[in-house]
Amino acid sequence: IHCGIDPSRFMPPPRRHREGPVRLLTIGRLVEKKGTVDLVEAIAILRGKGHDLWLTVCGVGPQRTRIERTAARRGIAGYVSLIGAVPNRHVADLFAGHDLFALPSKTARNGDREGIPVTIMEALAAGMPVLSTRHSGIPEAFPESCRPMLAAEGDVTDLAAKLELLLARRASWDELGREGRDWIERHFSQATELDRYMDLLGRVTESRNVEGAPAR
């Protein structure tokens, strides 16, 4: 049973495979396990190969300075915007204003790790192609057909390769978005998950009542 989200809050735009620069979005606390530094490194690799990529980083945390320094060191500071915290009510607008969502999570050196990030579920519900990693429960959030596109966690080279594959499938972004949203609606809908909780609670309660009933 997953925590679930309300997919109706995140409606896909009419189309995503437009021409021009590709706008990536990442949302999350700026901590090591979110992999934001790895994402900046991967974007630098692909910009060096001629891909026109721009990244918006939404969130606050102790790694902000390291992210800024990494972007500057790799010569892409002008293509990475750190916009700080954004109210939850504006997240859907951020999804609509970007082409791809990325959250390359990994296990931090202190052992901190993800479950299934809510922002990944929300981005998929918004019909966004999502770049992520084979970390913790994250593969569960994706349709099985999309799981080969997940990068190895902590591997910048593989992350860049998987992002390049997504860029090559630009004409399929709408299809990927529909698959992702359908998966979330079927497996991560808050209403469905609440029903499952209630069903479980009912079965547990019934079982306890039977076990505690007096012998006849």
Side-chain angles (χ1 to χ4, degrees), residues 54-93:
W54 298 68
L55 173 64
T56 301
V57 179
C58 176
V60 296
Q63 283 216 324
R64 180 183 178 109
T65 298
R66 186 179 176 194
I67 293 165
E68 291 174 329
R69 288 176 177 173
T70 300
R73 173 174 56 82
R74 297 305 305 269
I76 63 169
Y79 304 98
V80 178
S81 300
L82 286 87
I83 64 173
V86 172
N88 186 262
R89 64 182 180 275
H90 295 318
V91 169
D93 293 333

Side-chain angles (χ1 to χ4, degrees), residues 10-107:
F10 307 98
M11 301 306 296
R15 60 188 295 271
R16 287 193 184 277
H17 55 278
R18 63 178 190 82
E19 300 300 322
V22 176
R23 300 161 298 175
L24 281 82
L25 172 69
T26 188
I27 300 174
R29 290 181 296 122
L30 305 185
V31 294
E32 185 181 3
K33 73 175 180 179
K34 298 296 183 181
T36 312
V37 173
D38 293 348
L39 180 58
V40 171
E41 293 277 9
I43 288 172
I45 291 172
L46 294 186
R47 284 202 63 87
K49 296 173 69 172
H51 294 284
D52 194 359
L53 300 172
W54 298 68
L55 173 64
T56 301
V57 179
C58 176
V60 296
Q63 283 216 324
R64 180 183 178 109
T65 298
R66 186 179 176 194
I67 293 165
E68 291 174 329
R69 288 176 177 173
T70 300
R73 173 174 56 82
R74 297 305 305 269
I76 63 169
Y79 304 98
V80 178
S81 300
L82 286 87
I83 64 173
V86 172
N88 186 262
R89 64 182 180 275
H90 295 318
V91 169
D93 293 333
L94 282 172
F95 290 152
H98 291 79
D99 302 303
L100 304 176
F101 183 79
L103 193 67
S105 300
K106 62 182 181 179
T107 303

Side-chain angles (χ1 to χ4, degrees), residues 148-162:
M149 297 290 292
L150 296 173
E153 65 173 277
D155 187 334
V156 171
T157 301
D158 192 38
L159 185 64
K162 294 301 193 295

Side-chain angles (χ1 to χ4, degrees), residues 112-126:
D112 192 16
R113 56 191 288 120
E114 301 276 22
I116 302 177
V118 170
T119 51
I120 287 180
M121 292 184 274
E122 292 177 341
L124 289 167

Side-chain angles (χ1 to χ4, degrees), residues 112-145:
D112 192 16
R113 56 191 288 120
E114 301 276 22
I116 302 177
V118 170
T119 51
I120 287 180
M121 292 184 274
E122 292 177 341
L124 289 167
M128 297 190 79
V130 175
L131 173 69
S132 192
T133 50
R134 298 187 297 274
H135 168 78
S136 191
I138 287 176
E140 295 177 41
F142 289 81
E144 293 182 12
S145 62

